[in-house]
Amino acid sequence: MAGRWLPAMALLALSAPGIASTINQNVSWTIDRAGTTSKYRLVAYGDSIYAGYNGSISNAAKYSGPTVDAEYLSARWNADIESVRRAKSGAVARDVYENKIVAERSYMQAASTRVVTFEMCGNDGLQARSAFKEQSGTCSYAGMDAAVNNCKTYVAASMNYINANAHANTRLKVISNLYYPGYNADNVQSSCRDAGTGQTVNMRDRFLPAIAKMNYWMCEYARQKGFQCADSFAQYMGADYDSNGDGVIDSDALRYVAGESEAAYVNRTTVTLRSTLRDANSKFVTASSSYDYIQSDDVHPTYTGGTVSAGIWGGSTGTGAPRYTSFTGGRSPIASSYGHERMGWALSVYNPAAP
């Protein structure tokens, strides 16, 4: 996803004629586990989420979700894990598909590859949202509909391409779906008016079903095409306790259910369980304890563990010891404390037992 606020230098660099508001942020970071000789690769394609975007044009989070997952893999397999992140901040789904997944397929074709993951569509949604907010007169919903359709098209195409091109040694293919950045901020009326009612519309009421449709198809295509789906929407937007007394922890209740229809998923997440949705700036892990999963730009996940070079001056390659050598109950002690840590854990639950 593209951040709302970029440094002045970034805005200057990205506004030049013919240059889209995108920036490659590529990182290769190896989890070097003591006493091991085997090394396997995790390849992650995406936009600024997997890039670990933090507002900078020159560096990014060292431990974005995929590299967090690499730590889990290292512990589970007792091996070194190379986390290769091929990401483009600001890229829409088509851009990620064409210029990362297809153009940079060689990274997943290496014999050491064991995991391929990707995320996309966030910028399609953000751009449609920005355009809608600028409307006056009669509202047009065509932009949001186009964002949903583009997401469906390129998610399916990406899965098909990865299935055809990832090395035969690949053990896991997994997508991460979308959380809703700015959930509270969008709870305002539009400047445009609905053609049927003549009234302004609540923007969150319009955007939430669109995100739900994107998320449904990410997980449904995953089910159809041999991928797993890490449900970031459920992980970020629902509390880790039962807030409505229905007997199910909110973050579990919001998860995609394999085989359900689009209509059932959208109704469940946007109507039936609407009261349990919370802005990810206050992710409640208990009824009285919360963490901020979103940076100050109200878009990108929070992180810990420092930064690495990644941006207009090139990507970086590095190696470091794992922060944690084992995980009690399969979870890092900070798994619920930061947005990227939570995303990495959500990816890790699908990790195979052996490479």
Side-chain angles (χ1 to χ4, degrees), residues 215-289:
N215 283 341
Y216 171 79
W217 285 106
M218 287 183 184
C219 291
E220 176 61 14
Y221 282 143
R223 183 187 70 84
Q224 295 177 16
K225 298 175 183 292
F227 278 66
Q228 299 293 339
C229 185
D231 198 331
S232 292
F233 182 83
Q235 300 293 343
Y236 277 52
M237 307 303 294
D240 291 335
Y241 70 97
D242 179 12
S243 71
N244 64 346
D246 65 357
V248 185
I249 291 171
D250 293 357
S251 54
D252 290 336
L254 287 165
R255 290 177 61 183
Y256 161 82
V257 177
E260 69 183 328
S261 68
E262 179 190 55
Y265 173 84
V266 172
N267 186 72
R268 178 168 58 82
T269 56
T270 69
V271 179
T272 306
L273 298 177
R274 176 72 173 266
S275 66
T276 69
L277 297 179
R278 297 288 185 272
D279 192 291
N281 280 291
S282 296
K283 162 69 182 185
F284 278 86
V285 296
T286 69
S288 58
S289 178

Side-chain angles (χ1 to χ4, degrees), residues 118-164:
F118 76 98
E119 53 80 28
M120 57 173 52
C121 301
N123 287 300
D124 300 77
L126 289 179
Q127 290 180 17
R129 178 172 72 176
S130 295
F132 185 80
K133 288 181 175 181
E134 294 173 358
Q135 289 186 27
S136 58
T138 302
C139 296
S140 170
Y141 306 121
M144 285 184 286
D145 293 339
V148 172
N149 289 330
N150 287 339
C151 181
K152 291 172 61 177
T153 296
Y154 291 105
V155 165
S158 296
M159 290 181 180
N160 290 340
Y161 196 85
I162 290 168
N163 281 338

Side-chain angles (χ1 to χ4, degrees), residues 25 30 103 176 221 238 243 279 292 333 339 342:
Q25 294 194 287
T30 297
S176 175
Y221 282 143
S243 71
D279 192 291
D292 189 348
R342 187 60 175 253

Side-chain angles (χ1 to χ4, degrees), residues 310-352:
I312 61 173
W313 292 288
S316 63
T317 300
T319 300
R323 297 171 298 173
Y324 304 97
T325 56
S326 62
F327 299 97
T328 302
R331 292 177 72 108
S332 159
I334 57 172
S336 295
S337 303
Y338 301 90
H340 274 298
E341 297 292 329
R342 187 60 175 253
M343 186 176 290
W345 172 79
L347 292 168
S348 78
V349 300
Y350 300 107
N351 288 338

Side-chain angles (χ1 to χ4, degrees), residues 45-73:
Y45 299 103
D47 52 37
S48 60
I49 302 303
Y50 272 8
Y53 182 80
N54 63 357
S56 171
I57 59 172
S58 61
N59 64 67
K62 180 187 297 183
Y63 291 98
S64 78
T67 303
V68 172
D69 185 27
E71 283 193 316
Y72 286 99
L73 279 169

